[in-house]
Amino acid sequence: MLVSINFEDDQKTLQVEANQRLTKICDEHPSSILFGCRCVACGTCLIEVVSGMENLTPVMDEERILLDVLAPDNPNIRLACQCIVQGDIRIRVAD
């Protein structure tokens, strides 16, 4: 199944196979999202999910702890390194 990922900052939309890590997709198709540790430690890859939050894998405990520190008041923020894309999403780099 193909899914659509719109990168607002880059003004591009990709069609990719579902159930892939966003890190892998960004490695293959460079974007404005920067990755640091890739393991929930640095928070470099904060993204805002404009639409399609339900199409990403759920937030796990380790990610929740960091999100509560970095973006406690915004439920649309995720760490791109923890997201597996399961359906259409629209994202941008978080402020």
Side-chain angles (χ1 to χ4, degrees), residues 45-57:
C45 61
L46 278 180
I47 57 171
E48 182 170 3
V49 182
V50 178
S51 65
M53 182 67 88
E54 69 280 6
N55 293 327
L56 295 172
T57 47

Side-chain angles (χ1 to χ4, degrees), residues 45-92:
C45 61
L46 278 180
I47 57 171
E48 182 170 3
V49 182
V50 178
S51 65
M53 182 67 88
E54 69 280 6
N55 293 327
L56 295 172
T57 47
V59 176
M60 303 303 282
D61 292 343
E62 195 173 22
E63 182 182 6
R64 171 59 48 214
I65 291 168
L66 188 54
L67 291 175
D68 285 346
V69 172
L70 298 176
D73 299 324
N74 189 340
N76 297 321
I77 300 293
R78 292 289 310 265
L79 293 171
C81 69
Q82 298 304 298
C83 296
I84 296 175
V85 182
Q86 300 173 320
D88 297 347
I89 59 171
R90 183 177 196 91
I91 57 177
R92 62 181 166 223

Side-chain angles (χ1 to χ4, degrees), residues 1-2 4 10 14 17 27-28 31-32 38-41 43 46 49 53 55 62 65-66 69 79:
M1 177 175 100
L2 289 178
S4 174
D10 303 306
L14 301 175
E17 287 292 327
D27 286 345
E28 294 174 355
S31 73
S32 296
R38 296 177 179 242
C39 62
V40 197
L46 278 180
V49 182
M53 182 67 88
N55 293 327
E62 195 173 22
I65 291 168
L66 188 54
V69 172
L79 293 171

Side-chain angles (χ1 to χ4, degrees), residues 5 7 9-10 12 14 22-23 25-35 47 80 91 93:
I5 303 174
F7 295 85
D9 299 299
D10 303 306
K12 70 178 177 181
L14 301 175
L22 196 50
T23 50
I25 295 166
C26 290
D27 286 345
E28 294 174 355
H29 306 277
S31 73
S32 296
I33 301 171
L34 300 176
F35 293 93
I47 57 171
I91 57 177
V93 175

